[in-house]
Amino acid sequence: MIWAGVDGGATKTLAVVVSEKREIGVGISGPSNYHDVGLEKAVANLREALDQALSQIGGKMPVTSACYGLAGLDSPSDFTVVEEAITKVKLADKNFVVHDSVIAIYGATGGNKGIIVIAGTGSVAAGLDDKGNYIRVGGWGPLLGDEGSAYMIGREALAHALKAYDGRGEKTSLLDRIIEKYNLKQVEEIIDIFYRKGVSVTEVASLAKIVSEEALKGDKVAKMILEKAAKEIALHIVAVYKRLGFREKIDVALIGGVFRAGELILSPLKKYLAEKSIEVNLIKPKYPPAIGALIIAIKNTAPEFLSAEILEEANKAVERYYG
Amino acid sequence: MIWAGVDGGATKTLAVVVSEKREIGVGISGPSNYHDVGLEKAVANLREALDQALSQIGGKMPVTSACYGLAGLDSPSDFTVVEEAITKVKLADKNFVVHDSVIAIYGATGGNKGIIVIAGTGSVAAGLDDKGNYIRVGGWGPLLGDEGSAYMIGREALAHALKAYDGRGEKTSLLDRIIEKYNLKQVEEIIDIFYRKGVSVTEVASLAKIVSEEALKGDKVAKMILEKAAKEIALHIVAVYKRLGFREKIDVALIGGVFRAGELILSPLKKYLAEKSIEVNLIKPKYPPAIGALIIAIKNTAPEFLSAEILEEANKAVERYYG
């Protein structure tokens, strides 16, 4: 028997395989968000990562059971499309296609109960209880949601800088930083840059770094934006906590670039959680998502094989890919 | 001598001409936002509207002086591009190309001091003092600004409906309205509609109507969204008021679909202005934008010809086009 955990992201696909003899292989390939690269390419990258991993232990497809946590599975139709395509190419006898937040939380908690909050370019939270119940909140994307994400922080930075410029808002050093970054001779040129030439969600999200820097220097508007983001992140945690009926102190794993702001985010986050009487341990994830996928693949077919030791070994093997 | 005022919008172009014998003509053609229809088509539509208007009084191009208030003139480079193209085709001996908010305020106040706030799909405010100083605030578009606009109201409606759905926010009847409007069997299908299929800024803005309706029925979240919009509109007015150094009671003309919400917007708007100790008369615009353009065309070349009578007559002629 061979089990496979696959983390299919927007930039790379990582597969880890484990045999019943406890041999471990790891493979890496290109992105597998099918909205970005197309369905055929996405499936080809899944196969390639899996193929590489199997070649290291002399295994071959179909493996016993594989779990794929994929970026871009946001609407119900996404699942139908991707599951069909994966089943067709027979990578595994049993295929579990899940949202990337599912493998993230299984990895973060080692398959135990807990909550995960991802605040990167976008934002989403998920939780898992003792009975394996899983729920997810947020993750509606830059137009409909993503509150507390780097995108939203960047967008607020732009809006507040322009409000300061035209007299509607408080002065902020964010304005100077934005003028400098986009090399604006007239502030109005920003309209050309953002609408005519077009600016990606990632580019807007990258401004979150400037917000952290200016907040650290004491800029009030930048601080306020981060506090607002922290409040939104807290709302994600509170919603998961309540919907899963938790009453005890729960591990909450924090992932994503927004948390690089450190205490500027963590301190208001803790304050808002305390206000809601939610008791949590803010932790770093125990394992990365690929190990979360592996846990699901094993748990669903041979739960007796799952052990802390095998997970630790697999983690060592994938660690350098997540550096 | 013949003067022309041209209101070049995103859906139509309206031209009004007045001769020194006080003959009046009106012409109408297609859109003249050059970003939407291209520069050539935009200029052709300006010519066509002007041509129609002139034919009614037996006049011909070039007229003495024309003022064009055009949609889509947002960045410095827009003005260069459009001014050159208009000068080249010799519609008038003197051409005044201005942002559409300039003709809107000249129309709204009859060329006198005052403030105008437009809260339609987008938002922008402008002011004019006794010395003819003009300033504008806001109008940065849906990504960078447009606070208080129907777009922003619609966007908040979507975000708050989804926050209610996944447990991050207060319950709101906006969720049911959105489910109904987009015929969603699963709420998650909204991701397909808004990202994959794509939804226009106008479509998002159209949701503001639902927010007004639900606020009127007492929905707290809908009310809160409108109050937030009112506060942003107030910030526009306060910024213009302060930057023009007003101290006296000032006419503020309100334009745009957002104000159709009536007291739901006006009552918090008045409250916020009072908090800032800004004294204003909230009024309806005196004249529509085309008359504002006409005022500028005459004022800049033969101010002695400008009279309340001629403006009233011209207004009668254009009135039915603005319905």
Side-chain angles (χ1 to χ4, degrees):
Chain A
M1 290 194 286
I2 296 176
W3 299 274
V6 183
D7 174 13
T11 55
K12 65 172 190 291
T13 298
L14 195 62
V16 54
V17 295
V18 175
S19 74
E20 53 193 335
K21 292 178 206 155
R22 297 174 70 152
E23 297 152 315
I24 292 167
V26 181
I28 189 162
S29 65
S32 46
N33 180 332
Y34 89 98
H35 293 295
D36 297 343
V37 299
L39 189 57
E40 204 176 330
K41 186 70 186 162
V43 173
N45 281 335
L46 294 176
R47 175 188 281 280
E48 191 191 326
L50 205 53
D51 215 30
Q52 272 183 33
L54 286 170
S55 72
Q56 293 174 7
I57 62 166
K60 62 179 178 42
M61 288 181 257
V63 299
T64 310
S65 151
C67 171
Y68 317 83
L70 302 179
L73 300 183
D74 298 314
S75 77
S77 63
D78 288 331
F79 283 88
T80 319
V81 167
V82 172
E83 274 166 5
E84 274 181 15
I86 285 180
T87 309
K88 207 170 150 194
V89 295
K90 301 196 166 128
L91 306 181
D93 292 331
K94 288 201 172 177
N95 298 287
F96 303 95
V97 176
V98 300
H99 192 268
D100 52 2
S101 66
V102 177
I103 61 166
I105 190 163
Y106 269 85
T109 65
N112 300 311
K113 70 178 175 186
I115 295 175
I116 189 176
V117 183
I118 306 174
T121 302
S123 65
V124 67
L128 195 64
D129 72 8
D130 274 334
K131 292 168 199 141
N133 292 313
Y134 163 86
I135 67 147
R136 173 157 62 101
V137 311
W140 299 99
L143 173 64
L144 303 168
D146 277 359
E147 291 89 353
S149 68
Y151 174 78
M152 193 131 303
I153 292 171
R155 199 172 185 274
E156 293 268 331
L158 290 162
H160 282 284
L162 295 173
K163 283 176 94 167
Y165 171 70
D166 70 17
R168 286 177 297 141
E170 211 180 321
K171 279 190 183 173
T172 167
S173 54
L174 293 171
L175 178 58
D176 294 328
R177 294 295 305 272
I178 286 164
I179 289 171
E180 187 189 32
K181 182 176 163 72
Y182 294 104
N183 197 17
L184 304 172
K185 283 179 200 73
Q186 283 182 270
V187 173
E188 285 73 12
E189 292 170 355
I190 200 165
I191 290 175
D192 271 336
I193 294 170
F194 278 77
Y195 299 108
R196 309 286 141 71
K197 293 169 195 164
V199 161
S200 67
V201 166
T202 319
E203 170 73 17
V204 173
S206 77
L207 296 170
K209 194 167 165 277
I210 290 176
V211 178
S212 294
E213 287 167 6
E214 296 309 306
L216 207 59
K217 288 183 210 156
D219 185 74
K220 277 185 195 169
V221 172
K223 271 187 187 171
M224 182 272 293
I225 293 171
L226 292 180
E227 277 165 23
K228 198 170 158 190
K231 189 172 186 173
E232 294 293 345
I233 293 168
L235 285 176
H236 281 79
I237 297 171
V238 172
V240 173
Y241 189 96
K242 290 196 171 167
R243 283 179 56 196
L244 282 178
F246 288 140
R247 291 167 182 278
E248 64 279 32
K249 197 164 190 175
I250 287 291
D251 283 349
V252 176
L254 307 177
I255 298 184
V258 168
F259 297 109
R260 268 186 236 129
E263 281 306 312
L264 290 163
I265 281 284
L266 295 179
S267 158
L269 175 58
K270 287 170 194 163
K271 199 191 87 194
Y272 290 120
L273 291 172
E275 278 173 14
K276 295 285 174 187
S277 309
I278 301 281
E279 277 204 285
V280 300
N281 289 316
L282 300 182
I283 61 162
K284 287 189 181 173
K286 197 166 178 183
Y287 302 123
I291 302 299
L294 185 64
I295 293 172
I296 297 170
I298 302 175
K299 212 168 190 169
N300 281 337
T301 49
E304 69 285 358
F305 189 76
L306 206 58
S307 71
E309 290 71 30
I310 194 74
L311 293 179
E312 285 297 340
E313 275 176 53
N315 188 38
K316 251 181 240 162
V318 298
E319 231 170 19
R320 63 199 159 102
Y321 293 97
Y322 280 107
Chain B
M1 291 197 287
I2 296 175
W3 298 273
V6 183
D7 175 12
T11 54
K12 66 171 191 289
T13 298
L14 196 62
V16 53
V17 295
V18 176
S19 74
E20 56 194 332
K21 293 176 202 153
R22 295 174 68 151
E23 298 152 315
I24 291 166
V26 180
I28 190 162
S29 64
S32 45
N33 180 334
Y34 88 99
H35 292 295
D36 296 343
V37 298
L39 189 57
E40 206 176 330
K41 187 70 187 162
V43 173
N45 281 335
L46 293 175
R47 175 188 282 281
E48 190 190 325
L50 205 52
D51 214 31
Q52 273 183 32
L54 285 169
S55 71
Q56 293 173 7
I57 62 168
K60 64 180 174 45
M61 288 183 260
V63 300
T64 310
S65 151
C67 172
Y68 316 83
L70 303 180
L73 301 182
D74 297 313
S75 78
S77 63
D78 288 331
F79 283 89
T80 318
V81 167
V82 173
E83 275 168 3
E84 273 181 16
I86 286 180
T87 309
K88 207 171 150 192
V89 294
K90 298 193 169 135
L91 305 180
D93 293 331
K94 289 201 171 178
N95 297 289
F96 302 96
V97 175
V98 299
H99 192 267
D100 53 3
S101 66
V102 177
I103 63 168
I105 191 165
Y106 269 85
T109 66
N112 300 312
K113 70 177 177 187
I115 295 175
I116 188 177
V117 183
I118 306 174
T121 303
S123 64
V124 68
L128 196 63
D129 71 8
D130 274 332
K131 293 167 197 142
N133 293 315
Y134 164 85
I135 65 147
R136 173 157 64 99
V137 311
W140 298 100
L143 172 64
L144 304 167
D146 278 358
E147 291 90 353
S149 68
Y151 173 76
M152 193 129 307
I153 292 170
R155 197 172 188 276
E156 293 267 332
L158 290 162
H160 282 283
L162 294 174
K163 283 176 93 165
Y165 171 69
D166 69 18
R168 286 176 298 141
E170 210 179 322
K171 278 191 183 173
T172 168
S173 55
L174 293 171
L175 178 59
D176 294 328
R177 293 297 303 272
I178 286 164
I179 289 171
E180 187 189 32
K181 182 174 163 75
Y182 294 105
N183 197 17
L184 304 172
K185 281 177 202 75
Q186 281 182 269
V187 173
E188 285 73 12
E189 291 171 355
I190 200 165
I191 289 176
D192 271 337
I193 294 172
F194 278 78
Y195 299 107
R196 309 285 142 72
K197 292 171 194 164
V199 160
S200 67
V201 167
T202 320
E203 170 73 18
V204 174
S206 77
L207 296 170
K209 193 165 166 278
I210 289 175
V211 178
S212 294
E213 288 168 8
E214 296 308 308
L216 207 60
K217 287 183 211 156
D219 184 74
K220 277 185 194 169
V221 172
K223 270 186 185 170
M224 182 271 294
I225 293 172
L226 292 180
E227 277 165 22
K228 197 171 158 189
K231 188 172 187 175
E232 293 292 346
I233 293 168
L235 284 176
H236 282 81
I237 296 172
V238 172
V240 173
Y241 188 95
K242 290 196 170 166
R243 283 179 55 194
L244 281 176
F246 288 141
R247 289 165 183 278
E248 65 279 33
K249 199 165 190 174
I250 288 292
D251 283 351
V252 176
L254 306 178
I255 298 184
V258 168
F259 297 108
R260 266 186 237 130
E263 282 305 312
L264 290 164
I265 280 285
L266 295 178
S267 159
L269 175 59
K270 287 170 193 162
K271 201 191 85 192
Y272 290 120
L273 292 172
E275 278 173 13
K276 295 285 173 185
S277 310
I278 301 281
E279 278 205 284
V280 299
N281 289 315
L282 300 182
I283 61 163
K284 286 188 180 175
K286 198 167 181 186
Y287 303 122
I291 301 299
L294 185 65
I295 293 172
I296 296 170
I298 301 176
K299 210 169 192 170
N300 281 338
T301 50
E304 69 285 359
F305 188 79
L306 206 60
S307 71
E309 291 72 29
I310 195 73
L311 293 180
E312 286 296 344
E313 277 176 52
N315 188 37
K316 252 181 241 160
V318 299
E319 232 169 20
R320 62 199 160 103
Y321 293 96
Y322 281 106

